[in-house]
Amino acid sequence: MKIDLHVHTRDYSACGRSPAEEQIEAAIGAGLDAIVFADHDTLFPLARIREFNRRYAPFRTFSGIEMSVIGGEHLLVLGVHDDMLERRRWRYPDLHAFILQQGGFMALNHPFRFHPNIEIEHEQFPPDAVEAFSNNITAALQGRIVRLAQRLGLPVLSNSDAHHRSGLGRHYNVLARIPKDEQELLAMLKAGEFHCIAPQEITSCP
């Protein structure tokens, strides 16, 4: 199963340029089997997710969120739909504890993209994975991010971080099997039952 875990929409991200329906149709056209909408600090409504899963079946759509924490890092969160995520400004240790308590999945998105150093307690409170490949991660940073993931003993993700439909299909992850629901998807991600795919012209996924 080919899944992109980090897709934005014009619906809920100010920087998004394509609406959700166009992102889904572009993903289907690119041969993907599933995507996760992870808009900035905004949960994608589950009612719309259910509608999309009916309309576009067997293609699967999931709701996530890209959290901006104090310190400037961005974290992908899956499996937690509590609007508390949207209603407060989070310190990373507090967010880490909250997601762990809720049984969610969290990945560090595009580290070093905006700052030369990681300004959160990522070694004391490691996430579940690190995003090392995307449309918005330069080749110069890929090796550094992969080494970070290896030092922490974490798997590496490849996601589009697509804000426009043209960004879908070059970066994705392959799951070992098709999850029956969100909880099984989380379990597979936490167990590392996937491998990442990135374009051939950039550093290969480890």
Side-chain angles (χ1 to χ4, degrees):
M1 180 181 186
K2 300 177 181 179
I3 185 169
D4 184 343
L5 301 168
H6 184 183
V7 178
H8 293 278
T9 73
R10 191 175 69 191
D11 309 55
Y12 301 104
S13 285
C15 54
R17 296 165 54 205
S18 295
E21 290 87 349
E22 288 187 10
Q23 296 289 59
I24 292 172
E25 290 163 5
I28 294 171
L32 301 184
D33 302 300
I35 59 174
V36 175
F37 287 134
D39 284 304
H40 292 288
D41 302 302
T42 304
L43 291 162
F44 200 97
L46 290 176
R48 294 193 68 193
I49 294 294
R50 289 190 288 269
E51 175 193 345
F52 291 151
N53 283 328
R54 287 193 298 268
R55 190 193 315 174
Y56 294 102
F59 187 85
R60 302 289 300 281
T61 307
F62 298 91
S63 173
I65 186 171
E66 185 173 28
M67 298 290 297
S68 306
V69 296
I70 296 170
E73 298 299 335
H74 291 180
L75 284 301
L76 169 69
V77 172
L78 304 178
V80 180
H81 305 288
D82 192 321
D83 65 2
M84 180 70 74
L85 293 174
E86 303 173 311
R87 291 191 286 110
R88 60 178 286 189
R89 185 154 167 73
W90 290 85
R91 293 176 57 253
Y92 176 68
D94 297 332
L95 179 65
H96 185 278
F98 183 70
I99 300 306
L100 184 64
Q101 180 186 46
Q102 298 293 318
F105 171 89
M106 184 164 58
L108 178 59
N109 279 352
H110 48 63
F112 311 119
R113 180 183 174 193
F114 300 117
H115 309 283
N117 299 302
I118 300 174
E119 303 294 339
I120 60 173
E121 302 88 338
H122 64 290
E123 296 195 12
Q124 184 179 0
F125 304 105
D128 296 297
V130 178
E131 183 183 78
F133 304 95
S134 83
N135 293 323
N136 297 313
I137 296 175
T138 65
L141 289 180
Q142 291 157 12
R144 185 180 181 190
I145 298 173
V146 168
R147 290 191 295 274
L148 167 70
Q150 291 172 338
R151 187 172 75 249
L152 296 175
L154 299 176
V156 165
L157 295 171
S158 177
N159 299 308
S160 69
D161 191 6
H163 292 69
H164 184 267
R165 61 183 180 274
S166 61
L168 275 298
R170 300 177 73 243
H171 299 81
Y172 56 91
N173 308 279
V174 178
L175 301 178
R177 62 184 184 279
I178 299 175
K180 65 178 182 294
D181 54 25
E182 181 184 78
Q183 290 306 308
E184 187 169 0
L185 170 62
L186 297 182
M188 292 173 67
L189 292 173
K190 290 180 182 182
E193 297 177 357
F194 65 89
H195 64 273
C196 67
I197 302 293
Q200 292 182 354
E201 65 267 23
I202 67 174
T203 305
S204 297
C205 287

